[in-house]
Amino acid sequence: MDEVEDAAGAPGFEAWFRDLYPQARGIAYRILGSAPAAEDAAAEAFVRAFADWPRVGALAHRDAWVMRVATNVAIDVARRSPPPATAEVQTPDAHELVVLRSTLVDALARLPRRQREAVVLRHLAGYPAREVATAMGLSDNSVKKHLQRGLDRLRRTVPVEEEADLGLA
Amino acid sequence: MDSHDLRPDDEVLADVVRRGTALMSARKRRRQATAGAGAAVVVLLLIAASVAVGRSGDGPDRLASGGSSSTGGVAASTGAVEGAPAPRPVVDPAGTKTPPTVRVGTADHIVELKPWTTCWTNYCADGSRPTNLQRVRGGDLVYVEFPVEGWSFEATATIAGSSCGRRLTEQLAPAGPTMFTLPAQGDAGDYVVDLFGRGPGGDVSVSFSWHTDRAGPYPKPSSTLSLLANHDGSVDSYGVEFSMSNLARTPSKVTGAVTVTSADGADRTIELHPSGRGCDGGEGQVALTAPLSEGKAAAALGDPPFTYDVSVTLDGVVHRATATWPKDVDDECAPCVPLSFDPPLPGAGG
């Protein structure tokens, strides 16, 4: 853990990482459906935070910031990668989840960027609208617009019952 | 996620620190290389300029000079606005790789702001508000210039140093094809201002600090309710969210309820509860919510139109409002409806 002790040059980073990393990984997992890929996406978000820690660490809403980055990294990864192969699917339930996740990722990826970020931060990560607004550089009202329009579009693609399964409802 | 799939957090942290340190080093090397190349270019430009004008010109016009990070796609210049920075030539987003900077200030003083988050033509870049914000001078009004036509800007100002303070939001008024005005709002003081602009080509977020030396008006109190929604022609609910903005102060005690009545008289009363994790809205804001299942139950009451009878109690004072869904839906925040209360909500600034 020498490298971690070297992180003393980034005061507060380690505690922040330990607090937030599981949540970032969880959000990325919902998008990617693969534990290793979710770890990579979440870790990438924290790499970017660490590399710019004096600035990111001082942000009032740095938690939402790192979730936003993790979300976008996960979506980018999902766009580039096919869904998990059938061979990895162990049970009918797991198969349904893969299909659901593919549907969700496809639907999220089709959303305009701002709508997607707002929906994921608010509904997958559970951040208050204000924190979402600050992390995205928007007003509260703009976030609400993006949320409503994003959810509206999502619901045209992903049935409500499936949203609930994926933690979106 | 099965726990056996996961790497220990310590291991991930070590990896993050290692990769983060490598990324910092790479960025440092790039900056040094860029600075070296930039210095060489500056020397060459200075030599060329001194040859061309013999050092007898008026010097650089800091308001009208370039500085945009864009390349190409320049069209005719727009007209000047008195008291405003000189507008730059209009840029066609299709001919650019990165968005232009946003200029904020007055004719005498201007700062040039590089977007910290943007979606531009076919890419997006995430960032975060810089910690060392450029400071804008302009006591009660500043101009915002962005050299792409068809754009709109929205400003959100928060008292500096307060992460949970009052947020003042306003839509910037156009003062020309690429020029906007931003008047001061609220009490005089130091504000952090986030500007979000969008239009042809994408969107940009920039921020600056602004000391206003004169008080401006406060936005009027407003309130909205999202409950029922039109889902491809059928009544649905996307969640129950009630909000009040720009109140004189945040009430210490808030309760609320909405009774939804369908066209055939079936009704359901939904209790509203604070949504709050942390500061959800800041000073003068109230956000209440109810479970999605309540919204779904209301949607199943019957046929539209539906009446919303809203009652909120702010520190013991009862305020009531009525709206009709879908007639009163505001296109800007559909499916929400704006609410007008009796007695009126107490506003900031008297």
Side-chain angles (χ1 to χ4, degrees):
Chain A
M1 292 299 293
D2 288 341
E3 293 93 340
V4 173
E5 284 169 16
D6 286 344
F13 180 83
E14 181 177 343
W16 182 67
F17 170 88
R18 292 189 187 284
D19 193 31
L20 269 291
Y21 172 69
Q23 189 187 3
R25 184 180 57 202
I27 290 170
Y29 182 77
R30 283 183 181 174
I31 293 168
L32 291 163
S34 152
E39 279 185 352
D40 289 346
E44 174 61 26
F46 282 94
V47 166
R48 295 182 193 182
F50 183 83
D52 203 9
W53 184 244
R55 191 163 66 90
V56 173
L59 293 174
H61 300 281
R62 62 190 184 186
D63 298 3
W65 181 90
V66 81
M67 296 304 159
R68 177 187 181 204
V69 175
T71 300
N72 286 328
V73 171
I75 292 277
D76 288 344
V77 170
R79 276 172 154 167
R80 289 195 301 267
S81 320
T86 314
E88 294 177 20
V89 176
Q90 304 296 316
T91 66
D93 283 351
H95 175 71
E96 284 173 16
L97 266 182
V98 169
V99 173
L100 282 180
R101 208 157 269 125
S102 298
T103 308
L104 174 68
V105 168
D106 191 46
L108 282 173
R110 285 166 193 256
L111 290 182
R113 174 90 156 199
R114 303 294 175 227
Q115 289 180 14
R116 179 209 310 158
E117 289 176 349
V119 167
V120 171
L121 288 176
R122 183 79 178 92
H123 294 287
L124 280 184
Y127 282 92
R130 180 186 173 110
E131 286 187 38
V132 176
T134 306
M136 293 177 63
L138 303 176
S139 70
D140 299 3
N141 284 339
S142 286
V143 164
K144 284 179 191 169
K145 281 180 215 166
H146 288 308
L147 280 172
Q148 295 293 350
R149 288 171 185 172
L151 284 178
D152 195 37
R153 282 197 192 202
L154 270 185
R155 289 208 160 103
R156 292 173 200 279
T157 314
V158 184
V160 170
E161 302 75 36
E162 297 182 1
E163 284 180 31
D165 289 342
L166 290 161
L168 257 180
Chain B
M1 215 171 344
D2 295 336
S3 58
H4 66 266
D5 290 335
L6 304 176
R7 281 195 294 162
D9 287 3
D10 283 347
E11 192 181 307
V12 178
L13 175 60
D15 186 39
V16 163
V17 170
R18 188 166 47 244
R19 289 166 54 200
T21 304
L23 181 57
M24 275 192 289
S25 301
R27 284 178 177 167
K28 194 174 175 184
R29 283 195 299 275
R30 271 202 304 272
R31 275 197 299 271
Q32 286 168 343
T34 306
V41 169
V42 167
V43 169
L44 287 173
L45 286 174
L46 283 174
I47 291 169
S50 63
V51 168
V53 301
R55 294 184 181 278
S56 60
D58 293 329
D61 176 358
R62 67 180 162 157
L63 301 179
S65 64
S68 163
S69 54
S70 311
T71 56
V74 173
S77 174
T78 56
V81 176
E82 190 178 349
R88 289 167 286 180
V90 173
V91 168
D92 175 6
T96 62
K97 293 177 181 171
T98 57
T101 53
V102 178
R103 289 180 168 187
V104 179
T106 62
D108 300 325
H109 165 76
I110 190 167
V111 297
E112 192 142 348
L113 305 171
K114 193 175 175 184
W116 54 261
T117 279
T118 183
C119 282
W120 189 251
T121 57
N122 60 355
Y123 81 97
C124 293
D126 294 323
S128 58
R129 183 201 290 153
T131 45
N132 295 319
L133 294 175
Q134 292 199 66
R135 197 172 177 80
V136 168
R137 293 201 305 266
D140 55 3
L141 181 140
V142 291
Y143 289 88
V144 173
E145 188 258 350
F146 186 71
V148 183
E149 291 187 334
W151 274 56
S152 60
F153 280 85
E154 183 181 67
T156 303
T158 314
I159 284 286
S162 163
S163 62
C164 204
R166 184 180 294 277
R167 285 162 71 85
L168 303 167
T169 300
E170 62 186 311
Q171 198 71 28
L172 272 59
T178 60
M179 191 76 69
F180 304 85
T181 55
L182 174 60
Q185 289 195 116
D187 294 338
D190 287 310
Y191 288 87
V192 170
V193 181
D194 295 325
L195 271 182
F196 176 69
R198 66 178 149 207
D203 59 46
V204 297
S205 292
V206 297
S207 300
F208 59 93
S209 77
W210 185 18
H211 176 79
T212 61
D213 54 20
R214 209 179 306 170
Y218 275 92
K220 288 181 180 170
S222 62
S223 176
T224 62
L225 172 66
S226 294
L227 204 160
L228 299 173
N230 178 346
H231 181 67
D232 287 342
S234 61
V235 181
D236 197 353
S237 177
Y238 296 168
V240 182
E241 291 192 336
F242 170 79
S243 69
M244 289 183 287
S245 305
N246 304 315
L247 301 178
R249 60 188 176 81
T250 304
S252 56
K253 188 174 181 192
V254 184
T255 57
V258 53
T259 298
V260 184
T261 308
S262 67
D264 50 3
D267 64 49
R268 181 180 186 88
T269 296
I270 300 171
E271 298 293 329
L272 302 169
H273 305 282
S275 60
R277 253 187 62 172
C279 77
D280 196 351
E283 176 67 17
Q285 307 277 115
V286 168
L288 304 176
T289 187
L292 175 63
S293 57
E294 291 284 356
K296 297 280 185 193
L301 280 173
D303 292 325
F306 291 82
T307 303
Y308 297 157
D309 289 300
V310 183
S311 170
V312 289
T313 305
L314 309 179
D315 289 334
V317 179
V318 180
H319 301 259
R320 294 183 195 282
T322 300
T324 303
W325 186 92
K327 180 173 76 68
D328 295 335
V329 168
D330 178 356
D331 284 344
E332 277 297 292
C333 72
C336 94
V337 296
L339 297 171
S340 181
F341 279 93
D342 182 25
L345 298 174

